[in-house]
Amino acid sequence: MSDRVRYEWSRFSRSWWGPVHVVVRVNSVEATVGNSTVALDLTDRRSKAEQEKQRFASRFLDGVPVELDGRQVAVVTNEPGGPMGLFFRRARQQISGDPSFVLPGMRLTLRGLPTFLTLKDDSGTLVSTRRWGAPWDDFTWHYTLPGQYGVVPPWVAPGTRPEHVAFWFAMRETHR
């Protein structure tokens, strides 16, 4: 992973689960909520020939490792043959790994325009973009300086652990 920081931000200190601190590097994203730090390693592990052949392949095809406080706990992959998730149908990503982090049935759903990301498990929604806040967050990201952070905090279910909120923020940064 590269140490070169592209941008970083802190926000949502008044939320019951906050604040969040996000650092986006060239090949990684790190999010901290409370004492939990979640990092995604976005390094392209394909050979140079494969990279040149498929320049726009998703980082999630082979799986993106998820680290919690420096220890790998999960891998996120795209659901094979699923929708792309641009407007109406949502793309789905599977999460597999250590049961202490990955809750039963844990998955992500994503709609791209406007960006709407939801982290769910079998018991229901853990963290999601607020429906009315998604257009505002996209607008501030693209048209304000500095626009690295959202304006509207996500909806977080009561009892959601800080590492899952941090994971949601890290995943949100990968879809910008």
Side-chain angles (χ1 to χ4, degrees):
M1 291 191 284
S2 173
D3 288 337
R4 195 173 88 215
V5 175
R6 289 177 48 204
Y7 60 86
E8 66 181 290
W9 56 269
S10 295
R11 192 83 171 154
F12 308 126
S13 60
R14 294 186 184 199
S15 298
W16 66 266
W17 47 264
V20 62
H21 181 77
V22 175
V23 179
V24 178
R25 293 185 174 88
V26 174
N27 291 326
S28 68
V29 176
E30 185 178 288
T32 303
V33 173
N35 294 328
S36 300
T37 300
V38 172
L40 302 175
D41 182 4
L42 302 171
T43 306
D44 193 349
R45 291 171 180 76
R46 299 176 300 156
S47 68
K48 292 290 184 193
E50 289 176 0
Q51 289 178 18
E52 289 176 10
K53 189 176 183 179
Q54 292 182 322
R55 292 183 187 266
F56 300 108
S58 172
R59 297 171 260 204
F60 296 97
L61 287 177
D62 296 327
V64 170
V66 178
E67 293 180 358
L68 174 62
D69 298 326
R71 179 177 61 94
Q72 184 174 339
V73 292
V75 174
V76 179
T77 56
N78 285 341
E79 184 177 272
M84 292 192 52
L86 288 179
F87 296 105
F88 302 110
R89 298 186 66 205
R90 296 188 181 191
R92 290 179 291 280
Q93 293 177 315
Q94 301 169 339
I95 306 162
S96 58
D98 187 355
S100 66
F101 178 77
V102 180
L103 303 174
M106 189 179 239
R107 63 203 175 276
L108 285 157
T109 60
L110 169 74
R111 184 185 70 203
L113 294 172
T115 305
F116 193 85
L117 182 67
T118 304
L119 177 63
K120 296 181 177 188
D121 69 355
D122 285 344
S123 66
T125 301
L126 299 172
V127 185
S128 72
T129 306
R130 294 181 189 266
R131 187 169 304 283
W132 60 269
W136 290 108
D137 284 344
D138 284 355
F139 177 81
T140 59
W141 171 258
H142 293 291
Y143 299 110
T144 63
L145 294 173
Q148 282 98 2
Y149 49 82
V151 182
V152 181
W155 179 86
V156 179
T160 301
R161 299 189 324 222
E163 58 263 25
H164 294 131
V165 178
F167 174 62
W168 183 88
F169 272 103
M171 288 300 297
R172 186 178 87 165
E173 290 299 318
T174 64
H175 295 295
R176 292 209 186 263

